[in-house]
Amino acid sequence: MKIIKQIGIIFFICWIAQILESVLPIDFPASVIGMVLLFLLLASRILKVDHIREKSDFLLANMAFFFIPAGVSIINYFDVLQSCVLQLIFICLASTVVTFAVTAYSMKLVIWLMGRKKKDVHPERGRA
């Protein structure tokens, strides 16, 4: 019964996102709206992680299956993609480098903030 409840919560959020997508005056993907909505519910503690933990862990563990349809549909447009293969390779390489850099600097910032927080909690340890 617990798993059915978790699936129901996730599908309910997806359904609300679909409704919001149809109501919004701009084109915005329902999947992104759903992720933002889920984030807001978790951040505001209206929804707790334990309410969706098992199903979300299952979905994350099997995430590769969700990319199969996208990969197959790329084959349908291979002739279009073939004409701009160099640009696509450049975009993939550049975005990978940017992602690595942003991740590295984000981690440096988090480590620095955590170290600063520890010094604020224990100010006497920093003095000689």
Side-chain angles (χ1 to χ4, degrees):
M1 193 67 172
K2 184 177 181 181
I3 292 176
I4 294 173
K5 180 181 167 186
Q6 292 179 10
I7 292 171
I9 291 169
I10 292 171
F11 280 139
F12 181 73
I13 292 171
C14 291
W15 180 64
I16 296 294
Q18 291 285 334
I19 291 172
L20 288 174
E21 178 192 32
S22 65
V23 173
L24 287 175
I26 58 171
D27 289 333
F28 208 77
S31 58
V32 175
I33 295 170
M35 285 190 292
V36 170
L37 185 60
L38 181 61
F39 171 74
L40 292 174
L41 290 171
L42 289 169
S44 64
R45 297 181 191 242
I46 293 171
L47 183 65
K48 293 184 177 32
V49 176
D50 290 334
H51 292 150
I52 58 169
R53 182 181 307 274
E54 291 172 6
K55 268 298 125 196
S56 60
D57 287 345
F58 172 79
L59 291 172
L60 285 172
N62 297 295
M63 190 183 296
F65 291 114
F66 298 113
F67 289 100
I68 292 173
V72 170
S73 66
I74 285 176
I75 294 171
N76 292 334
Y77 298 101
F78 187 72
D79 54 333
V80 176
L81 297 173
Q82 191 177 15
S83 66
C84 54
V85 71
L86 292 177
Q87 292 94 337
L88 289 172
I89 290 172
F90 174 75
I91 290 170
C92 288
L93 291 173
S95 63
T96 300
V97 170
V98 169
T99 302
F100 285 165
V102 169
T103 303
Y105 283 111
S106 297
M107 285 306 302
K108 280 182 79 170
L109 176 65
V110 167
I111 291 169
W112 179 76
L113 288 172
M114 289 175 65
R116 199 172 120 200
K117 184 177 179 181
K118 285 182 183 178
K119 288 180 184 176
D120 290 343
V121 172
H122 304 289
E124 67 277 354
R125 289 187 182 176
R127 297 184 189 134

